[in-house]
Amino acid sequence: MPICFGAAALFTVHSISLPKELEFYDNQFSGLAVSSSKLFLLSESRLQDRAEAKLYTLKLADLDRKLLDTAYVLPYQKLPLNQLPALRTKMLTTGQQYEGLEAILIDGNDIYFSVETATPSTNCYLLKGSLTASAVVMDTTFLTPLAKPLTADGQHIYNAGFEAMAQAKKQLVAFFEFNSFPGQNYAYALSKRPAPALGSPPTLPFAPLPFRITDMTPTGSNHFTAINYFFKGGGGDAVYRTPASDTTNTKLITDRNGFESYCRLVDVVFKDNRFTWQLLWELPEQYWGYNWEGIAAYNNGYFIINDKYTPSRPYRTTLLYIQATR
């Protein structure tokens, strides 16, 4: 069923405790998807850190029960991502440094992943696999390069990749994490077939959006909900700060002590072959310090998940269900 929330939507937040294996912070979950009556949890699969190539699934029926009975222990399944190391090797041979998987999109038995690479790398990647009952079998012939947008002076954006994907009118679309630099506000329209190593995919205009897009989920009728997140950190992360002249957005990410983390959901609309957005809902301030990286629409709300970072240690995976109340 399509989800259609107006700008005045209100939500309540339900915390879902996870089994120890899933709660472990170094899963570093980076995406969520709902398919085949299951919630899929994508691990970054940081192979360079000797992490497993994997994702997990939870049955939606079990999650429904969990929301009613918080003591219920969720059953889960782990699916290895077979042949992902071989694809990483292919990237390395072209000088591109794999860092992890960032977005997931499921289309029947086909499953797509976006790969983030180290900041100096010129390309990120789109990968494809086949979903089976016990694993995902990666297609080692499918390795589509996604050129990273550059700043006006030709530099790469620090620690940024394609963290969200969607299907819009049967097109597979990849959204760059940072969409706020002048003149380069677009998403890539991608082929579901292997693409040549040279050439850039077609682009679709996307209205400038401050801060980061960390994941996106379809909600029906060419609408999508995206996580729009700002991390207060300095150093390289300072690139995501809005200029002081942008007083409207700067007020959202500062207080009397300086910058603060901030998170909201935005409604993204595809119309006339372009994307626009509007505010849907700000998360309660107590949740701004979590690095939310995954979202999946379900029933009258959303599941969202963090990668590992929380306001205080020890870090842990946090899964929430955000339920609409109007």
Side-chain angles (χ1 to χ4, degrees), residues 100-277:
L101 303 178
E102 289 293 346
I104 179 174
L105 188 148
I106 302 175
D107 183 17
N109 289 326
D110 293 332
I111 185 165
Y112 298 88
F113 304 96
S114 69
V115 171
E116 185 170 316
T117 54
T119 299
S121 296
T122 56
N123 297 323
C124 292
Y125 289 93
L126 176 71
L127 309 181
K128 181 180 181 181
S130 296
L131 186 61
T132 74
S134 58
V136 174
V137 181
M138 303 301 298
D139 181 349
T140 56
T141 69
F142 193 107
L143 185 65
T144 301
L146 306 177
K148 296 179 181 178
L150 304 175
T151 61
D153 60 359
Q155 299 297 309
H156 290 132
I157 304 296
Y158 171 74
N159 196 32
F162 293 83
E163 293 220 0
M165 292 192 293
Q167 285 200 87
K169 294 184 178 178
K170 299 184 179 181
Q171 299 178 92
L172 197 161
V173 183
F175 296 84
F176 194 61
E177 181 175 355
F178 188 60
N179 185 54
S180 213
F181 29 83
Q184 299 193 32
N185 314 112
Y186 56 80
Y188 280 145
L190 304 174
S191 173
K192 296 181 181 179
R193 296 187 296 273
L198 299 177
S200 297
T203 59
L204 298 168
F206 187 13
L209 177 64
F211 323 134
R212 298 163 54 214
I213 302 171
T214 60
D215 203 18
M216 187 178 295
T217 185
T219 55
S221 301
N222 293 315
H223 282 253
F224 308 85
T225 295
I227 300 173
N228 189 209
Y229 184 77
F230 173 78
F231 172 60
K232 68 179 181 180
D237 285 301
V239 70
Y240 303 114
R241 297 173 179 175
T242 50
S245 57
D246 182 357
T247 55
T248 299
N249 288 306
T250 299
K251 284 179 181 178
L252 298 175
I253 57 174
T254 55
D255 60 16
R256 63 180 181 275
N257 298 315
F259 287 95
E260 63 176 346
S261 296
Y262 172 75
C263 188
R264 63 186 177 182
L265 303 183
V266 296
D267 176 34
V268 177
V269 182
F270 186 58
K271 184 178 180 181
D272 299 329
N273 229 34
R274 62 183 296 115
F275 291 94
T276 58
W277 66 273

Side-chain angles (χ1 to χ4, degrees), residues 26-37:
D26 253 353
N27 288 309
Q28 296 201 51
F29 291 116
S30 56
L32 293 177
V34 167
S35 181
S36 302
S37 300

